[in-house]
């Protein structure tokens, strides 16, 4: 969306294309106003109609960009990862709107998307492009999934258990699930807790897995930030500890990006205190802070300006006087990021996911103690996300703290040691993923639309495996398979 805006305001942006029709006499001003209002209502944008685009979150901008396309009432709508920056409920609400347009108005929709778990219930056909010199798959969803290696967790589990037909939704999977003997929540929690042989308490103020001893590396206390009269952060308090991966979740517009910008010195809170390694960041420049803090924004293009991928890495070292003693060799880093074959490519010619990894390399080549990642898996397929998780884990083992902002509940289930949920400008829930990601009443209401009930909103914020096995503490495919094996073994032994 950041590549296609031409004016500054939400309503003006949506009306821009129609204004050309007025000038040519093809449309009246009254019809233009009616169309703009209709699409604002359709995408739940009425509260934002008078806002400036530069005050919106990434997800809100994404919805405005889609509205600007829909207002033209096209016969074919082509969408490139339209849910990549949307929270789960906003994504589902958008998809339900597209389904209605498809079924009721005959709109043909071509949608490119890596988050297949979101779109499978709605797709009528899948075209899968596996890679260079590999045959294209073009089939119905179930037929295509049967031939694909990288699939959503639910389908991955179904394949491992030889379920047929392959389920596209949790509801379908429940009909295939055999009776389970006493599935229960065990003491084995998330990957982070397992790795350190410790479990994590629930919602205490310092809901901390024992893997993070000592003082917090990062501490934000009673932070307040407002844009004019719009209060974004209202008394936010949060800690991150050495070597942990803390996932920060929350609906679009809840203040996640604003918090990251405060932590790296791009914004100054009106009230509150932020410390890194026990020292206040107040009055320190962003350039100084970035020697200890790596910040990856939602839009990777904000960090890319060199002529080659390798130069993007080397420029960071040069600017900090580290070109002769890099903390990590640029070629080694490019290899770890899966970018070795693109070292001499022009960064802006790459895909969004590849540009995201180039920007990640530019901020991590200095080996900062703290990484702030804002939607780092935008534009990444399942394999790229797995590679990123492995990379982050290796840095964690070396003491790096990661604060990860994301809407991807499946990513959080796989990667996070702890989860904090942001709503209405403050942290409303935090704890281990096995506690926070369980099906429960949503902390921030039903979201932007009315196409989903409060209960379905809660499910949308829950990993597929957790929804399938609600009485267990399983969040991932591996945890479910391991748990089912243990249950089978226990049942055999008791028999």
């Amino acid at each position: 969306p950041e590549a296609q805006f031409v004016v500054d305001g939400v309503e003006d942006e949506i009306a821009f294309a129609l204004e050309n029709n007025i000038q040519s006499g093809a449309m009246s001003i009254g019809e233009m106003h009616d169309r703009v209002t209709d699409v604002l209502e359709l995408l739940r944008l009425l509260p934002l109609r008078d806002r400036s685009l530069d005050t919106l979150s990434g997800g809100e901008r994404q919805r405005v960009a889609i509205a600007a396309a829909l207002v033209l009432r096209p016969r074919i709508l082509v969408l490139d990862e339209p849910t990549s920056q949307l929270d789960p409920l906003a994504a589902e609400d958008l998809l339900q709107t597209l389904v209605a347009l498809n079924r009721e108005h005959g709109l043909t929709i071509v949608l490119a998307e890596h988050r297949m778990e979101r779109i499978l219930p709605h797709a009528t056909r899948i075209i899968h492009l596996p890679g260079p010199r590999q045959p294209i798959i073009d089939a119905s969803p179930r037929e295509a999934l049967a031939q694909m290696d990288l699939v959503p967790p639910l389908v991955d589990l179904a394949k491992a258990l030889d379920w047929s037909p392959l389920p596209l939704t949790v509801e379908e999977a429940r009909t295939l699930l055999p009776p389970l003997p006493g599935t229960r929540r065990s003491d084995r929690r998330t990957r982070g807790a397992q790795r350190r042989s410790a479990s994590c308490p629930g919602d205490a103020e310092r809901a901390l897995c024992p893997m993070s001893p000592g003082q917090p590396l990062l501490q934000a206390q009673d932070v307040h930030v407002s844009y004019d009269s719009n209060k974004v952060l209202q008394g936010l308090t949060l800690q991150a500890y050495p070597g942990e991966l803390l996932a920060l979740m929350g609906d679009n517009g809840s203040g996640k990006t604003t918090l990251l910008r405060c932590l790296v010195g791009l914004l100054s809170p009106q009230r509150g205190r932020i410390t890194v390694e026990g020292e206040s960041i107040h009055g320190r420049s962003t350039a100084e802070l970035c020697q200890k803090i790596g910040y990856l924004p939602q839009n990777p293009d904000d960090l890319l300006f060199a002529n080659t991928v390798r130069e993007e890495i080397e420029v960071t070292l040069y600017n900090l006087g580290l070109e002769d003693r890099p903390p990590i060799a640029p070629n080694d880093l490019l290899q770890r990021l899966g970018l070795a074959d693109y070292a001499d490519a022009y960064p802006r010619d790459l895909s969004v996911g590849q540009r995201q990894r180039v920007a990640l390399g530019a901020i991590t080549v200095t080996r900062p103690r703290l990484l702030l990642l804002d939607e780092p898996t935008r534009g990444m397929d399942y394999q790229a996300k797995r590679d990123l998780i492995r990379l982050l884990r290796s840095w964690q083992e070396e003491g790096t703290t990661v604060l990860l902002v994301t809407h991807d509940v499946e990513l959080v289930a796989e990667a996070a040691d702890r989860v904090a949920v942001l709503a209405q400008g403050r942290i409303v829930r935090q704890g281990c993923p096995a506690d926070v990601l369980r099906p429960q009443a949503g902390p921030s209401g039903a979201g932007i639309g009315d196409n989903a009930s409060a209960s379905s909103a809660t499910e949308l914020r829950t990993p597929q495996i957790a929804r399938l096995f609600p009485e267990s503490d399983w969040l991932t495919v591996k945890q479910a398979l391991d748990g089912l094996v243990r249950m089978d073994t226990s049942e055999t032994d008791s028999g």
Side-chain angles (χ1 to χ4, degrees):
E2 58 273 359
Q4 66 187 72
F5 293 140
V6 292
V7 294
D8 297 327
V10 170
E11 189 168 16
D12 291 341
E13 176 63 35
I14 295 172
F16 179 79
L18 298 182
E19 289 175 338
N20 295 321
N21 290 338
I22 291 176
Q23 293 174 5
S24 66
M27 180 180 298
S28 68
I29 293 178
E31 184 181 356
M32 179 189 74
H33 285 305
D34 289 344
R35 282 204 191 188
V36 170
T37 299
D38 287 346
V39 80
L40 285 168
E41 290 178 346
L42 188 67
L43 291 175
R44 317 305 189 248
L45 289 168
L46 281 173
L48 306 179
R49 72 186 304 166
D50 297 322
R51 291 271 297 275
S52 172
L53 290 169
D54 61 11
T55 69
L56 303 184
S57 71
E60 289 167 338
R61 294 184 190 191
Q62 198 159 26
R63 285 158 52 207
V64 172
I66 293 169
L70 282 177
V71 77
L72 292 168
R73 297 183 181 174
R75 295 291 305 278
I76 301 173
L77 183 63
V78 181
L79 301 169
D80 193 355
E81 304 227 33
T83 71
S84 62
Q85 298 182 81
L86 299 184
D87 63 66
L89 185 60
E92 179 61 19
D93 205 57
L94 170 64
L95 291 171
Q96 291 287 358
T97 298
L98 295 177
V99 168
L101 290 170
N102 170 256
R103 293 176 180 173
E104 298 170 17
H105 301 283
L107 180 67
T108 296
I109 297 171
V110 180
L111 188 151
E113 181 64 75
H114 287 305
R115 302 276 291 279
M116 293 183 61
E117 62 271 17
R118 286 181 168 179
I119 56 96
L120 280 180
H122 311 296
T124 55
R125 176 178 165 208
I126 290 178
I127 299 176
H128 177 57
L129 310 177
R133 296 177 297 281
Q134 297 183 50
I136 292 173
I137 298 170
D138 184 352
S140 69
R142 292 184 215 280
E143 293 171 334
L145 291 168
Q147 304 173 62
M148 294 165 56
D149 294 327
L150 300 176
V151 293
L154 187 67
V155 179
D156 198 12
L157 178 70
K159 285 187 170 185
L161 297 176
D162 292 324
W163 288 351
S164 181
L166 288 176
L168 303 183
T169 66
V170 173
E171 290 72 22
E172 290 181 359
R174 286 173 182 149
T175 66
L176 300 169
L177 192 65
L180 300 178
T183 306
R184 62 179 178 82
R185 299 194 66 179
S186 69
D187 291 330
R188 183 175 62 85
R189 298 296 178 105
T190 59
R191 187 269 316 163
Q194 292 170 35
R195 191 176 67 224
R196 299 162 178 85
S197 302
S199 63
C200 180
D203 294 331
E205 176 66 22
R206 179 178 163 180
L208 168 66
C209 295
M211 48 72 68
S212 304
Q215 297 299 312
L217 180 82
L218 165 70
Q219 190 157 14
Q221 295 177 305
D222 194 32
V223 175
H224 292 253
V225 176
S226 297
Y227 298 117
D228 298 325
S229 60
N230 183 30
K231 296 180 179 178
V232 181
L233 300 181
Q234 304 182 63
L236 180 140
T237 295
L238 183 69
Q239 301 84 27
Y241 292 81
E244 79 167 334
L245 192 152
L246 171 59
L248 183 63
M249 308 187 75
D251 290 348
N252 292 122
S254 61
K256 302 182 299 297
T257 296
T258 295
L259 173 61
L260 295 193
R261 290 172 64 83
C262 288
L263 298 180
V264 79
L266 292 171
L267 284 176
S268 296
Q270 282 85 32
R271 241 173 69 195
R273 174 179 167 83
I274 299 173
T275 62
V276 175
E277 294 185 320
E279 297 181 0
S280 172
I281 70 169
H282 180 71
R284 299 171 67 183
S285 68
T286 298
E288 181 184 358
L289 290 172
C290 284
Q291 296 186 38
K292 290 185 177 180
I293 303 173
Y295 171 49
L296 179 68
Q298 282 186 12
N299 180 13
D301 290 349
D302 291 345
L303 298 184
L304 303 180
F305 54 87
N307 290 322
T308 69
V309 170
R310 182 183 286 105
E311 285 178 22
E312 293 287 2
I313 309 297
E314 293 173 343
V315 164
T316 301
L317 295 172
Y318 176 81
N319 288 338
L320 296 176
L322 297 173
E323 64 269 31
D324 295 328
R325 44 187 177 86
I328 178 171
N331 287 339
D332 291 345
L333 181 58
L334 291 176
Q335 189 71 42
R336 293 173 74 172
L337 290 168
L339 294 170
D341 292 340
Y342 302 94
D344 297 319
Y346 182 55
R348 291 175 183 266
D349 285 342
L350 303 180
S351 71
V352 172
Q354 290 168 331
R355 296 202 304 273
Q356 200 86 334
R357 280 180 278 159
V358 176
L360 183 61
I363 67 167
T364 56
V365 70
T366 62
R367 299 306 305 275
R369 293 292 310 282
L370 174 64
L371 278 180
L372 309 177
L373 307 180
D374 198 352
E375 296 288 353
T377 59
R378 176 187 175 196
M380 289 188 184
D381 60 29
Y382 291 112
Q383 186 58 52
K385 285 198 283 190
R386 292 172 188 171
D387 293 342
L388 176 63
I389 290 172
R390 280 195 292 269
L391 182 62
L392 294 178
R393 284 178 184 171
S394 69
W395 286 336
Q396 282 182 263
E397 295 293 345
E398 297 167 9
T400 299
T401 299
V402 181
L403 177 55
L404 170 68
V405 167
T406 185
H407 294 302
D408 190 339
V409 294
E410 304 296 348
L411 172 71
V412 174
E414 290 279 357
D417 299 309
R418 190 159 56 98
V419 184
V421 180
L422 181 61
Q424 299 177 338
R426 56 177 61 91
I427 301 299
V428 296
R429 181 171 171 81
Q430 60 179 316
C432 281
D435 292 330
V436 177
L437 297 182
R438 303 304 309 168
Q440 57 191 297
S444 56
I448 66 166
D450 55 10
N451 286 337
S453 65
S455 59
S456 63
T458 299
E459 285 205 337
L460 291 169
R461 298 184 177 99
T462 303
Q464 289 186 317
I465 300 302
R467 290 162 55 193
L468 184 60
F469 301 101
E471 299 304 318
S472 76
D473 65 351
W474 306 335
L475 300 179
T476 67
V477 173
K478 184 179 186 305
Q479 289 172 355
L481 292 175
D482 290 347
L484 291 171
V485 167
R486 286 199 308 274
M487 289 168 59
D488 288 342
T489 302
S490 175
E491 186 177 18
T492 302
D493 292 343
S494 62

